[in-house]
Amino acid sequence: MEIHLRGYEANDPRIKPAAGFGVDRSTDLPDEMDVLVVGTGPAAVVVAAQLSRFPSINARVIEQRTGRLEVGQADGIQARSVETFQAFGFATEVVDEAYRNVEMCFWKPDPADPSRIVRASRAPDDATGMSEFPHIYVNQSRILDYFLRDAARAPGRIVPDYGIEFLDCTIDPDAEYPVSAQVRYVAGEREGETRTIRAKYLVGGDGARSRVRTALGHRLHGEASMHAWGVMDILNNTDFPDIQVKCSIQSHDAGNILTIPREGGYLVRVYVDLGEVGESDGGAVKATPIGAIIAKANRIIHPYSLDVRAVTWWSVYEVAHRITDGFDDVPAEFAGIRTPHAFIMGDACHTHSAKAGQGMNVSIQDGFNLAWKLASVLERRAPESLLSTYASERKVVAQNLIDFDKEWSGLLARPVDSWDDPAGLERWYTSTLEFPAGFMTQYEPSLITLGIEHQDLAPGFPVGKRFKSTEVIRRADNRWHHLGHLHEADGRWRVYVFADASAPALSGTPTAEFAVWWANDPASPRVRFTPAGGDEDAILDTKVIYQQDYTQVEPGDVPDAFKPAKGPYGLIDINRIFAAGHGYDIFRDREISHDGAIVVVRPDQYVAAVLPLDARVTLTAFFEGHMLTPPPAPRIERETIPTIAQRTSL
């Protein structure tokens, strides 16, 4: 966390000064705005937290409920989501209060007595080191709280407008405010009043029954599996030894169970197999009483038992896998011709079973993907065409999710005697861990992602996949840091310059020559796209990583391109210089060429390009494809900033 850049800061650095639309933020919903976000689900709160960092953007969030969500259905948090929490600054807090999953136990019928279950095997949660962050469980409502707290602390001071429901909308792409949304107050002094709100962009994060999706003319398509499950969060006494471990339990003839321990040490979520549902059921299975679900669970878990003392939440559902036919308001025949003004995210786009723990996690990435793009366009740093990449990128991810969950939920429901391989479920689980962890997403080449022509320069950073962090030594303080943890959710692109094998030098090496061009040439993306008067790393945050041990790297020998001047005092930032040391070697760990490489990372932490150090034409063309040159600075005489001594004497 960078503080004191603009002078000594005595207050909580997590609470930023209000600015722009965050100053004296109106408690009443305005008639016109830049972005109207509908709902406060996982995707929507990510958009709120991201946009609140850009106080020049007038964004509002409406929610039909009269207050915060108190009990959420989702609880599984995959490592990719925790990486995202790190970018927003609250990963440690979430991990501290959550249940941390370290392994999954598989229980099956005892071969000697099939009426009893026995533990057959254990599978570690992350045996291959996919991420330094854990797989955790914590209630969805707490995750929403963290993102909404972040939004309220950011300069834009975005807080939800509760008690307002979205009704419908019309879109005129040629209007200054293309979206006309009808809303209604459902609580408070204005209950029953309807209004029309005009916005430049509409974002629907309003769940599986999304009215925004309906207004855009989209539908969810797919099918139900004709299999029902009861799910309950319980407080119980039991002699089952793995009640605080994630378990798959397969009985001989009573069905299957999936247990998910919850945060706090007492609460457990139990998914109970209720069996096949006939076509004539007509939804009757949803009326299954909680007592019947508990009894079924006890039959499955024999010879152990569950003495349920309290049920804090329960439901019955039929597994369904559905995906929407569109993620924005652009009709298929106008794709590539028109740019979108309305979007849907999360459950409004894709529904599936809860047992793979993907709903909230994929929704968070939907929101992260869209929000930085909206900010870039509204701040006039990127063309509107950037927004078209949201639908093209996230629809593929949603379909992959549906396909994965369909197979996983089907396997969990299979009778134990239908497996040719007795360990088949365990093998499938361990072989596919990368997908539920959130790391299989790989964006195809596009406006913001190049191809793999130079992937051999850095095989450990696959283009299109999330930037997999590892440790480096920061030369400023000679401490190890996870390089990816320094990537904040601030809308900036990261340009990692992995230096060639020559020692750090101000001239004569490929790295030094790149640095001179990067910092001084008018064609350089950093020079061209940095706003006049802005910090040198305002748009492109550049870091250099040397192959040598940190003891051989002196900041004075490092080119100025890697030491940006920042803030009103023009402070030189030496915190962008990294090296090897103390056993840490990112070149070794991520297989980076000793000839050096440039790794470009998008604001949502996905690798956009791997290039050689001399690929200036390609790098320039890449950024030209999705960035706008900022206007020249106005000719205003800047006030002279007093020195510390002068300010002290005042």
Side-chain angles (χ1 to χ4, degrees):
M1 181 180 298
E2 294 183 352
I3 56 177
H4 310 313
L5 180 61
R6 289 168 173 78
Y8 179 73
E9 177 57 67
N11 299 313
D12 186 343
R14 298 168 184 82
I15 303 175
K16 304 300 181 183
F21 285 98
V23 177
D24 299 325
R25 185 180 187 276
S26 172
T27 57
D28 191 23
L29 199 64
D31 293 327
E32 298 174 344
M33 63 194 68
D34 293 318
V35 183
L36 174 64
V37 181
V38 180
T40 54
V45 296
V46 175
V47 173
Q50 180 73 100
L51 293 183
S52 196
R53 284 165 159 74
F54 301 93
S56 65
I57 297 173
N58 184 9
R60 304 291 290 224
V61 179
I62 62 172
E63 168 57 59
Q64 184 173 348
R65 290 193 312 272
T66 57
R68 65 177 286 270
L69 179 72
E70 294 186 1
V71 179
Q73 296 181 15
D75 60 357
I77 308 294
Q78 305 294 349
R80 172 62 191 140
S81 292
V82 186
E83 289 182 352
T84 305
F85 301 161
Q86 174 68 28
F88 282 89
F90 55 79
T92 300
E93 292 178 271
V94 175
V95 171
D96 283 348
E97 74 173 78
Y99 170 87
R100 180 166 183 165
N101 193 69
V102 296
E103 69 177 12
M104 184 170 180
C105 291
F106 293 84
W107 288 73
K108 299 178 184 297
D110 185 347
D113 180 1
S115 70
R116 302 165 53 92
I117 60 169
V118 294
R119 187 189 302 109
S121 63
R122 308 173 190 265
D125 195 65
D126 182 6
T128 60
M130 291 182 293
S131 175
E132 71 279 10
F133 289 109
H135 174 194
I136 60 176
Y137 296 106
V138 67
N139 193 274
Q140 172 183 337
S141 61
R142 293 294 294 131
I143 300 304
L144 304 186
D145 287 345
Y146 278 112
F147 276 113
L148 290 175
R149 183 192 70 178
D150 190 80
R153 288 175 168 183
R157 295 292 193 269
I158 294 177
V159 295
D161 293 291
Y162 290 109
I164 303 176
E165 67 174 337
F166 173 90
L167 299 176
D168 201 354
C169 74
T170 58
I171 298 176
D172 178 3
D174 298 322
E176 180 182 2
Y177 291 88
V179 179
S180 293
Q182 290 75 52
V183 302
R184 177 168 57 206
Y185 291 83
V186 297
E189 297 179 356
R190 303 174 69 173
E191 184 175 355
E193 178 185 339
T194 60
R195 290 179 58 190
T196 296
I197 305 298
R198 297 198 302 160
K200 293 178 181 177
Y201 297 102
L202 172 68
V203 177
D206 51 340
R209 295 180 176 85
S210 171
R211 287 186 175 178
V212 176
R213 183 185 65 232
T214 300
L216 300 184
H218 297 316
R219 296 176 55 198
L220 290 173
H221 299 274
E223 57 187 16
S225 69
M226 307 303 292
H227 203 102
W229 292 78
V231 56
M232 54 185 181
D233 285 343
I234 60 173
L235 297 170
N236 78 111
N237 290 326
T238 181
D239 55 352
F240 180 64
D242 290 338
I243 194 63
Q244 283 296 323
V245 181
K246 181 180 180 181
C247 293
S248 165
I249 304 170
Q250 297 173 295
S251 71
H252 175 63
D253 55 10
N256 304 324
I257 279 177
L258 181 68
T259 64
I260 305 290
R262 294 289 300 276
E263 67 280 7
Y266 299 98
L267 195 65
V268 179
R269 176 162 293 184
V270 183
Y271 291 92
V272 182
D273 180 3
L274 299 182
E276 295 292 331
V277 179
E279 293 185 5
S280 60
D281 178 79
V285 70
K286 294 183 178 180
T288 303
I290 184 62
I293 297 172
I294 294 172
K296 181 73 178 290
N298 273 295
R299 290 196 298 274
I300 296 171
I301 210 170
H302 178 77
Y304 307 103
S305 63
L306 298 173
D307 175 16
V308 178
R309 298 302 182 92
V311 179
T312 64
W313 172 82
W314 68 282
S315 182
V316 175
Y317 69 93
E318 297 174 70
V319 176
H321 300 96
R322 298 187 174 95
I323 186 171
T324 183
D325 48 18
F327 280 57
D328 59 31
D329 63 305
V330 178
E333 62 269 24
F334 289 102
I337 301 173
R338 256 178 52 186
T339 56
H341 291 279
F343 312 85
I344 50 176
M345 316 174 294
D347 286 354
C349 300
H350 39 75
T351 62
H352 39 83
S353 82
K355 293 182 290 301
Q358 289 298 291
M360 176 163 49
N361 295 279
V362 174
S363 296
I364 287 170
Q365 298 309 313
D366 286 347
F368 202 8
N369 182 289
L370 176 61
W372 72 266
K373 297 172 182 177
L374 280 170
S376 298
V377 170
L378 285 165
E379 288 209 324
R380 296 180 175 83
R381 293 183 279 109
E384 292 181 342
S385 57
L386 176 64
L387 298 175
S388 298
T389 64
Y390 167 73
S392 62
E393 290 184 335
R394 297 309 295 175
K395 187 166 186 176
V396 174
V397 173
Q399 187 60 60
N400 290 341
L401 165 61
I402 296 299
D403 296 341
F404 174 87
D405 185 68
K406 187 178 295 185
E407 187 168 7
W408 173 236
S409 58
L411 294 177
L412 285 175
R414 280 181 61 177
V416 68
D417 57 5
S418 70
W419 291 85
D420 294 331
D421 178 4
L425 183 61
E426 297 97 307
R427 295 186 197 282
W428 194 89
Y429 175 79
T430 55
S431 68
T432 60
L433 273 175
E434 189 178 3
F435 187 94
F439 302 133
M440 282 294 286
T441 297
Q442 185 163 19
Y443 294 130
E444 293 295 321
S446 69
L447 193 69
I448 49 176
T449 305
L450 291 181
I452 60 172
E453 293 81 2
H454 300 287
Q455 186 68 77
D456 61 312
L457 294 175
F461 293 123
V463 176
K465 300 189 79 169
R466 119 287 188 188
F467 181 83
K468 185 179 181 181
S469 181
T470 194
E471 299 93 338
V472 289
I473 301 295
R474 186 166 68 184
R475 181 57 188 86
D477 53 11
N478 298 339
R479 292 176 50 219
W480 72 265
H481 297 264
H482 254 284
L483 191 59
H485 295 192
L486 304 174
H487 184 138
E488 299 178 29
D490 53 18
R492 292 187 296 169
W493 288 73
R494 266 66 193 182
V495 178
Y496 297 101
V497 179
F498 291 92
D500 60 278
S502 303
L506 295 175
S507 62
T509 70
T511 302
E513 291 175 357
F514 169 83
V516 171
W517 172 78
W518 187 244
N520 301 293
D521 195 304
S524 156
R526 195 183 89 163
V527 174
R528 179 173 173 182
F529 298 113
T530 299
D535 290 345
E536 292 177 350
D537 61 354
I539 304 299
L540 299 169
D541 177 18
T542 308
K543 297 179 173 69
V544 63
I545 305 94
Y546 289 104
Q547 301 178 33
Q548 289 77 18
D549 189 271
Y550 75 98
T551 58
Q552 301 176 39
V553 178
E554 296 295 344
D557 295 335
V558 173
D560 290 344
F562 310 130
K563 298 180 293 187
K566 302 169 64 173
Y569 302 106
L571 299 180
I572 303 301
D573 186 355
I574 61 172
N575 291 298
R576 270 52 183 164
I577 307 167
F578 301 88
H582 299 309
Y584 301 117
D585 184 351
I586 193 172
F587 282 79
R588 174 197 65 207
D589 297 341
R590 295 295 175 263
E591 303 175 82
I592 300 167
S593 169
H594 289 282
D595 292 332
I598 297 169
V599 177
V600 180
V601 181
R602 297 166 20 158
D604 55 359
Q605 301 178 313
Y606 284 85
V607 177
V610 172
L611 297 168
L613 291 171
D614 61 357
R616 299 172 193 175
V617 173
T618 302
L619 192 62
T620 299
F622 171 69
F623 283 111
E624 282 180 343
H626 59 80
M627 283 190 175
L628 298 177
T629 303
R635 299 181 64 86
I636 300 175
E637 193 71 29
R638 297 182 65 179
E639 181 180 354
T640 301
I641 300 172
T643 65
I644 293 177
Q646 290 171 330
R647 287 189 291 114
T648 304
S649 65
L650 294 178

